[in-house]
Amino acid sequence: MDYFKKQLDLLKTEREEDRRSYKQMTESTSVADRRANGLTWYPIAIRGSEMSRGDYLTVEVERTTHQDLPHQLRFGASAVLFSNHDPKQDHLEGTITYQGGNRLKITLRTDELPEWASDGKLGIDVLFDDNSYDEMQNALKQADALQDKEPEGRLIKILTGEKKPVFHPDITPYVNPALNASQQSAVNKILSAGDLAIVHGPPGTGKTTTLVQAIKALIKQEQQQILVVAPSNTAVDLLSEKLSDEGLNVLRVGNPARVSERLMSLTLDSKVSEHTSIKEIKRLKKQANEFRDMAHKYKRNFGKAERDQRKALFDEARKIMKEVGNTEQYIIDDVISKAQVITATLVGANHYTVKNLKYHTVVIDEAGQALEPACWIPILKAQKVILAGDHCQLSPTVKSDEAARKGLSTTLLEKCTALHPESVTLLEEQYRMHATIMGYSSSIFYEDKLKAHASVAGHLLFSEDNPLSFVDTAGCGFDEKLDGTSTTNPEEAVFLFKHLTQLVTALGEHYQPKDFPTVAVISPYKQQIQLLKEQLQHSPLLQPYADKISVNTIDSFQGQERDIVYISMTRSNTENKIGFLSDIRRMNVAMTRARKKLVVIGDSGTLSQLGFYADFITYAEHKNAYQSAWEFMDV
């Protein structure tokens, strides 16, 4: 069977494209450019160092300027400490072992800092992420080798469609009055599944709540440790916190994205530091560091006696660190064995501390955003897998168009939903949107099965308001422009804020500033977002509400909600090109962020080239929600 050979080929194509774009961003670029691209912290200051396992040195650094810039320096990433005096010569590779706020720890492959490290102009570059690709590649090769073996191959054959999943319907039915009917049946499906259950959670349907209750019930049923993974740190954090709130002993492997005390207390580092044997480790480490510091005093005088003395001190420090390593391993094993739930990212499931663990059940959340090769890393540790997510929302980011086209952007969730409909439970009741906002999405993506819960079905900003509005800019001369590689529409941006200003003014009669509704202004185009952000700053009447208004791309709002959502469709041209907008799953995300009001602004002439938008405009007309931008022109 060539299933995994194909996945390996797609992964190879993706890796090459990713490496090519990384090279492009790093080669020949200045430190300032790399910093702007999120690949570098510069300048940094060293705040401390200590010996760590295997003769390595862990250094804590802080970035001292440009602290608001987003960056890609993450826990587990390979990175390099460099001196900008002579970056070609003066650099040391290592791994980021902690990152929080503007500090990080990097474990370097050396037992002492080089001399250039004290001359200033230091920085850290993140290196190309070979580790994740290696982990994915190894998992695919392993799955390929195991598929014909029993019993390991059974789950693999089910997930690739060669076998059917089994269910044990004789379990005691699960009843939890806090969950609705479809949520309870999802938990029942999970408990009765022998090998595969799928929770399909459309926007606002309480997927996380359902999963948390299912995991609690599974732990009770199996009396075994469960692995819970997701593609992003943010998703892992959310689940870790919610599971911990339910009283479960959660161990968060890796480094949380949000540095809250609550989350930090769930990490391995934190649990190890509270362990009864930690005092002994601290004493030994202090001793090792003292020997190391003494050895450094012999740096400049290189007679034989000094060299011998220096070597003896380093040997002693190493011997102690070996003892530290053994004690640490004992503590780590102890902490891990006590956890009921281990949470990590997909690749983090293979972190060296938990690499060899096996589980009865593995839960993959946000599986609609997970690359399939990454899913196989945790799946190979399981006898049973639960996939949760929504394949009708954004698929994972794939850098290579060729790999995406040939199938890398098709997720395991999507495949298994099609292969094994008997494993799927659709969560049918949503707690976010007014029924009119939900209606179009439900008919196109969810076979009209979504219902709005009574608490939200009719909620409005004020009693006479219409929850949906399509404002048609056709014939207004709002033509798109190509700005670099991205599309913009300056007139549409100006118009959107004019419309929003009118709405905000009208809402002033109904709301005090402190309980004013939240607003998202979104567009699929990055350059249009820049224009919209500038427009917001030049809208004086909106300034008192600026903290309630967020402007960003659709992708960055996945999983979030706001009271009011404006979508700037941007495209308006005579060639009827809609490009990026043809990804209707992205539009599904955009349209389902709104709780009480959705305003879509776009050119019906251009948009109607795609049936999805033509039908949406018809839907808006039926709901008395169609307006022409001309109606607002003279105001």
Side-chain angles (χ1 to χ4, degrees):
M1 173 173 129
D2 292 334
Y3 185 94
F4 291 103
K5 304 277 188 291
K6 183 187 174 192
Q7 286 288 325
L8 281 161
D9 284 348
L10 292 174
L11 187 65
K12 185 170 177 237
T13 307
E14 173 70 357
R15 184 183 205 152
E16 282 162 5
E17 175 55 33
D18 196 1
R19 189 187 292 279
R20 193 193 61 74
S21 69
Y22 173 86
K23 261 183 129 157
Q24 205 177 339
M25 279 166 82
T26 51
E27 272 183 358
S28 74
T29 56
S30 66
V31 75
D33 288 344
R34 295 201 307 277
R35 180 170 60 198
N37 283 326
L39 301 173
T40 297
W41 276 14
Y42 181 85
I44 57 161
I46 290 178
R47 296 292 181 227
S49 72
E50 61 168 25
M51 287 184 81
S52 66
R53 307 171 69 148
D55 288 355
Y56 290 164
L57 183 70
T58 297
V59 179
E60 183 172 6
V61 308
E62 182 174 16
R63 63 170 168 174
T64 47
T65 67
H66 300 78
Q67 295 183 333
D68 52 343
L69 284 184
H71 63 87
Q72 296 171 36
L73 281 76
R74 301 276 178 269
F75 169 84
S78 299
V80 60
L81 173 73
F82 68 88
S83 154
N84 215 28
H85 288 297
D86 187 357
K88 287 240 180 322
Q89 283 298 312
D90 298 343
H91 56 87
L92 254 184
E93 283 190 20
T95 306
I96 297 174
T97 44
Y98 166 80
Q99 190 272 307
N102 287 301
R103 288 199 173 215
L104 64 77
K105 289 182 180 176
I106 180 168
T107 298
L108 299 166
R109 296 182 190 118
T110 177
D111 52 15
E112 56 182 327
L113 274 172
E115 308 224 340
W116 51 260
S118 51
D119 298 339
K121 282 200 169 185
L122 297 181
I124 288 192
D125 274 333
V126 67
L127 295 174
F128 180 72
D129 185 11
D130 268 314
N131 175 50
S132 293
Y133 282 105
D134 288 345
E135 292 283 11
M136 289 190 269
Q137 187 182 327
N138 292 341
L140 291 172
K141 286 180 175 167
Q142 209 180 331
D144 191 28
L146 285 173
Q147 60 185 335
D148 294 320
K149 294 202 168 81
E150 276 296 331
E152 304 98 310
R154 182 180 158 70
L155 183 59
I156 299 171
K157 280 197 157 41
I158 290 167
L159 296 174
T160 56
E162 281 195 35
K163 277 190 170 168
K164 282 284 172 209
V166 239
F167 292 90
H168 310 295
D170 49 348
I171 61 148
T172 318
Y174 172 86
V175 181
N176 181 340
L179 299 183
N180 66 40
S182 63
Q183 290 173 332
Q184 291 197 54
S185 75
V187 178
N188 274 313
K189 179 78 78 179
I190 286 170
L191 292 174
S192 66
D195 22 56
L196 172 68
I198 297 169
V199 181
H200 183 187
T205 51
K207 171 176 63 72
T208 305
T209 306
T210 308
L211 267 190
V212 167
Q213 293 307 321
I215 290 163
K216 262 181 88 173
L218 275 170
I219 285 173
K220 208 169 164 185
Q221 181 192 47
E222 295 174 2
Q223 299 288 315
Q224 288 186 38
Q225 205 168 53
I226 288 181
L227 174 66
V228 178
V229 288
S232 70
N233 275 307
T234 316
V236 178
D237 290 351
L238 176 69
L239 273 169
S240 304
E241 247 172 339
K242 294 227 183 298
L243 289 162
S244 172
D245 289 344
E246 288 287 330
L248 294 171
N249 182 338
V250 177
L251 175 63
R252 167 72 163 96
V253 173
N255 195 176
R258 291 206 317 279
V259 189
S260 68
E261 255 178 63
R262 183 97 186 76
L263 272 166
M264 283 308 177
S265 68
L266 304 177
T267 61
L268 190 60
D269 282 354
S270 167
K271 291 187 180 220
V272 164
S273 70
E274 286 163 10
H275 197 277
T276 46
S277 309
I278 202 70
K279 280 198 178 76
E280 174 62 5
I281 282 195
K282 283 192 169 144
R283 187 185 67 74
L284 289 168
K285 271 190 173 171
K286 189 166 176 263
Q287 212 179 340
N289 281 316
E290 280 165 6
F291 280 123
R292 186 190 66 158
D293 292 343
M294 281 156 68
H296 285 171
K297 294 200 175 84
Y298 292 101
K299 220 166 198 171
R300 305 261 183 256
N301 320 322
F302 277 118
K304 184 179 179 320
E306 286 86 355
R307 254 204 311 276
D308 290 349
Q309 185 60 21
R310 180 183 156 102
K311 185 179 175 304
L313 288 165
F314 268 127
D315 285 348
E316 195 54 42
R318 281 192 190 109
K319 209 165 84 192
I320 295 170
M321 283 312 290
K322 203 168 175 182
E323 204 179 322
V324 167
N326 294 337
T327 314
E328 264 181 351
Q329 196 54 55
Y330 158 74
I331 296 178
I332 288 169
D333 293 345
D334 191 42
V335 167
I336 290 171
S337 69
K338 289 193 170 86
Q340 291 168 291
V341 184
I342 290 179
T343 62
T345 57
L346 298 164
V347 177
N350 246 5
H351 187 253
Y352 76 92
T353 50
V354 292
K355 193 176 179 69
N356 299 320
L357 294 184
K358 292 271 186 269
Y359 309 86
H360 184 272
T361 303
V362 167
V363 177
I364 303 181
D365 191 19
E366 297 298 356
Q369 285 189 280
L371 279 181
E372 178 176 341
C375 289
W376 287 99
I377 300 169
I379 287 170
L380 290 172
K381 301 171 181 298
Q383 295 168 40
K384 163 172 164 174
V385 68
I386 314 299
L387 299 174
D390 182 9
H391 49 282
C392 304
Q393 293 185 60
L394 287 174
S395 50
T397 307
V398 175
K399 297 202 166 107
S400 156
D401 292 341
E402 185 195 342
R405 203 175 52 248
K406 289 183 174 170
L408 191 61
S409 59
T410 307
T411 59
L412 195 59
L413 175 72
E414 202 173 338
K415 290 179 188 173
C416 287
T417 301
L419 288 167
H420 306 301
E422 70 277 24
S423 292
V424 183
T425 311
L426 175 72
L427 301 180
E428 293 175 356
E429 197 162 17
Q430 63 83 18
Y431 298 81
R432 174 183 300 164
M433 297 163 268
H434 186 287
T436 305
I437 297 172
M438 171 199 83
Y440 186 63
S441 179
S442 177
S443 71
I444 300 292
F445 295 99
Y446 307 108
E447 300 170 7
D448 247 339
K449 286 182 178 164
L450 274 194
K451 299 187 292 281
H453 184 262
S455 61
V456 301
H459 67 180
L460 294 165
L461 291 168
F462 54 91
S463 57
E464 320 67 81
D465 193 36
N466 192 333
L468 179 66
S469 177
F470 174 73
V471 186
D472 189 357
T473 62
C476 294
F478 294 179
D479 292 334
E480 66 181 61
K481 316 213 169 353
L482 195 63
D483 190 343
T485 53
S486 189
T487 306
T488 61
N489 193 324
E491 284 100 339
E492 185 177 287
V494 171
F495 174 78
L496 185 148
F497 277 98
K498 194 173 177 181
H499 190 286
L500 177 57
T501 303
Q502 283 179 28
L503 176 64
V504 165
T505 308
L507 290 174
E509 294 172 28
H510 302 271
Y511 294 91
Q512 293 297 316
K514 67 175 190 316
D515 58 5
F516 201 81
T518 54
V519 184
V521 177
I522 56 188
S523 166
Y525 294 95
K526 282 200 178 111
Q527 291 306 116
Q528 182 73 351
I529 293 297
Q530 283 313 112
L531 285 185
L532 290 162
K533 285 182 172 169
E534 285 161 25
Q535 255 338 116
L536 175 58
Q537 283 167 346
H538 297 135
S539 306
L541 293 171
L542 295 178
Q543 290 319 305
Y545 308 101
D547 60 331
K548 298 278 188 178
I549 303 172
S550 336
V551 183
N552 218 325
T553 57
I554 295 172
D555 300 39
S556 66
F557 275 105
Q558 173 138 335
Q560 298 187 41
E561 57 183 69
R562 296 290 189 275
D563 295 319
I564 303 164
V565 170
Y566 272 76
I567 307 175
S568 166
M569 300 299 283
T570 312
R571 298 309 294 249
S572 174
N573 55 62
T574 46
E575 301 84 57
N576 297 326
K577 284 193 186 135
I578 64 162
F580 204 35
L581 293 185
S582 58
D583 180 357
I584 61 173
R585 293 200 276 193
R586 184 170 268 107
M587 273 338 280
N588 184 33
V589 172
M591 291 173 170
T592 53
R593 300 305 96 201
R595 298 180 66 241
K596 298 178 181 176
K597 190 175 186 73
L598 172 66
V599 182
V600 180
I601 297 176
D603 177 343
S604 63
T606 303
L607 293 175
S608 294
Q609 298 312 302
L610 193 69
F612 175 81
Y613 296 109
D615 292 347
F616 171 69
I617 294 165
T618 308
Y619 175 82
E621 284 167 339
H622 287 155
K623 297 288 182 187
N624 197 23
Y626 174 90
Q627 291 170 293
S628 166
W630 286 105
E631 295 173 38
F632 301 88
M633 284 313 199
D634 46 354
V635 181

